[in-house]
Amino acid sequence: MPHRAHLFSLRFAHALREARAQGYGKPELVRDIFAGAAVGIIAIPLAMALAIASGVAPQHGLYTAIIAGIIIAVAGGSRYSISGPTAAFVVILFPITGQYGLGGLLVATTLSGIMLLAMAYARLGRFIEYIPEPVTLGFTGGIAITIATLQVKDALGLSIDEMPESYVGKLLILAQSVDTTQFASVSIAALTIAILLLWPRLGTRVPAHLPAVIAASVAGWFLGNAGMEVDTIATRFSFVQPDGSIGLGIPPYLPSFEWPWNQPGPDGKPRELSWQLAMDLLPAAFAIAMLGAIESLLCAVVLDGMSGTRHSANSELFGQGLGNIVVSFFGGITATAAIARSTANYRAGAASPISGVIHSIVVLLGLVVLAPLLAYMPMPAMAGLLMVVAWNMSEAPKAVGIIRRAPPGDVAVFVVCISLTVFFDMVIAITAGTLLASVLFMKDIAAMTRVTNVTQSPSVVDRELPQGWIVFRISG
């Protein structure tokens, strides 16, 4: 059926072809340039903050927004999606980085990209969209809680050398370290959050991220000159320059090709590719692939509702898989479609996936031109930025709506998913939540089924039945 073709289609550059087939000229290009520039400004601080939250240097997030952003926009199946690092991945990537280093994280990203390609060719895109809403709200809410908790350390300027792995352990060490709170860090984090929340009320088209980051950086500079120590990207991160000297902040260079397994491990030495390493990373890669598929297709569904267009689920999975494979060879971390950036892209007037390409070019220019200035960005500002991201991704109003108005079964699924995500991990949460939702669905279907003896009903049985025969009507 033609109206259902988008559910089964798979072709390279599906969204780009669709946009071109409907007519693409200079007006559409101008719209894409302005929309891509606006989203690119948003993506620069976000990509850096998400890379830091994932346990790697900020430039790796920029590499992701540049390379994966272009490849997925061109090759994928959703017209307005903007891809790059997202907050949902933090809870998966951070433990991988701690145990296997950057090299292990990039190998896991490569494996997840291969899995996404396999999902696309198996035409699984249409099935992933049917994961129940209480499950998706539960694990995204759990991820938001975890991300916000991880930002408390930098937001308050606490003196903590290493965060425990368990969530309860994190809460305990944060509580024990409250007495090391730094006034300067709290002030900058609060300023960042306030601007991010209040700026949109002014009605200006300038993204709130730009004034928030600028104001936080200026405040950090003044507080630093006043003798109050403020941790910045330059004080936290460094890199080796071509002449062998050490540079502070992020390197103002284009990403270069390097085998993922040759990137440093947790001990700072290059990893070696082995079958055992691949097997060890396989569960994490599967979690990355599943979350990437869910988030990218949910984003595409949201954009379809806003724009009246239809995405190709399998083509989008193909683009996501290709983007994650390629980006891992250039030092970029895992990428997927970002709902907030994608909706901002559409609302800014985007007409085609070209806006996604423009967004990546803006991030590239930011890396090459603004690297010295980006080094002044305070870590508390990054923490404040991620706290707002965590609040937005939690979709708290929807969660409250489920708790107040949904059937008890849906509430139970939501509570199970959010609890398992926080205290265990997302894979367990999605698996348990989906299974519980399936069991409750079967229970509801069973409750709808009725069996009635209609042997004596003349309207149904209009002839004499053989001895011992009974007629039943089954409804449901």
Side-chain angles (χ1 to χ4, degrees), residues 34-91:
F34 279 104
V39 180
I41 293 171
I42 297 173
I44 292 174
L46 271 179
M48 296 170 63
L50 291 167
I52 294 169
S54 300
V56 298
Q59 64 265 25
H60 297 288
L62 297 175
Y63 298 162
T64 305
I66 294 167
I67 298 171
I70 291 176
I71 293 174
I72 296 172
V74 171
S78 180
R79 187 177 302 188
Y80 305 107
S81 289
I82 298 293
S83 295
T86 65
F89 280 125
V90 169
V91 294

Side-chain angles (χ1 to χ4, degrees), residues 34-377:
F34 279 104
V39 180
I41 293 171
I42 297 173
I44 292 174
L46 271 179
M48 296 170 63
L50 291 167
I52 294 169
S54 300
V56 298
Q59 64 265 25
H60 297 288
L62 297 175
Y63 298 162
T64 305
I66 294 167
I67 298 171
I70 291 176
I71 293 174
I72 296 172
V74 171
S78 180
R79 187 177 302 188
Y80 305 107
S81 289
I82 298 293
S83 295
T86 65
F89 280 125
V90 169
V91 294
I92 302 178
L93 304 188
F94 186 77
I96 299 174
T97 306
Q99 186 173 357
Y100 299 98
L102 176 62
L105 175 57
L106 298 188
V107 171
T109 300
T110 307
L111 294 174
S112 70
I114 295 171
M115 292 179 187
L116 286 167
L117 288 182
M119 290 181 194
Y121 282 108
R123 302 299 199 276
L124 296 181
R126 67 187 187 278
F127 297 115
I128 294 171
E129 296 178 25
Y130 291 107
I131 292 177
E133 185 178 40
V135 175
T136 57
L137 283 177
F139 79 76
T140 53
I143 291 170
I145 292 172
T146 305
I147 291 173
T149 304
L150 289 172
Q151 305 317 307
V152 172
K153 172 181 174 291
D154 283 333
L156 302 183
L158 304 180
S159 299
I160 300 175
D161 295 329
E162 187 175 352
M163 294 287 283
E165 290 187 12
S166 70
Y167 184 75
V168 175
K170 291 182 177 69
L171 293 180
L172 289 175
I173 197 168
L174 288 172
Q176 294 167 1
S177 306
V178 169
D179 58 344
T180 63
T181 299
Q182 303 292 325
F183 171 79
S185 296
V186 175
S187 301
I188 292 173
L191 175 64
T192 305
I193 293 172
I195 294 175
L196 288 171
L197 297 179
L198 298 176
W199 185 266
R201 298 184 182 182
L202 300 178
T204 176
R205 299 186 66 177
V206 177
H209 297 70
L210 183 61
V213 168
I214 292 175
S217 300
V218 172
W221 183 80
F222 274 111
L223 290 172
N225 287 341
M228 300 182 190
E229 183 178 347
V230 179
D231 203 8
T232 66
I233 288 177
T235 62
R236 181 79 63 88
F237 300 98
S238 61
F239 61 94
V240 179
Q241 303 193 75
D243 60 3
S245 61
I246 301 298
L248 301 179
I250 60 176
Y253 315 123
L254 298 178
S256 58
F257 178 91
E258 188 167 355
W259 298 108
W261 47 88
N262 285 344
Q263 296 279 8
D267 57 358
K269 299 178 181 178
R271 298 201 64 95
E272 293 183 3
L273 182 63
S274 66
W275 180 255
Q276 186 59 49
L277 176 64
M279 290 298 100
D280 290 343
L281 290 170
L282 206 56
F286 178 74
I288 292 171
M290 285 301 299
L291 180 57
I294 293 169
E295 189 167 11
S296 62
L297 294 184
L298 284 178
C299 177
V301 170
V302 170
L303 292 170
D304 284 355
M306 295 174 63
S307 64
T309 59
R310 283 180 173 175
H311 73 283
S312 168
N314 298 309
S315 302
E316 181 65 8
L317 290 181
F318 176 86
Q320 295 290 338
L322 183 62
N324 277 284
I325 291 173
V326 174
V327 77
S328 64
F329 288 84
F330 291 88
I333 60 176
T334 311
T336 191
I339 294 179
R341 274 162 275 171
S342 299
T343 54
N345 179 49
Y346 173 73
R347 288 170 178 158
S352 78
I354 297 298
S355 63
V357 177
I358 300 297
H359 134 271
S360 297
I361 294 173
V362 171
V363 177
L364 173 62
L365 293 174
L367 171 67
V368 175
V369 178
L370 301 178
L373 296 177
L374 295 176
Y376 288 100
M377 291 174 61

Side-chain angles (χ1 to χ4, degrees), residues 29 42 68 92 127 147 196 206 212 242 285 300 363 387 394 401 412-413 422 431 442 467 474:
L29 177 60
I42 297 173
I92 302 178
F127 297 115
I147 291 173
L196 288 171
V206 177
V363 177
M387 283 181 168
S394 71
V413 171
V422 171
T431 303
M442 288 185 283
Q467 183 67 29
I474 301 174

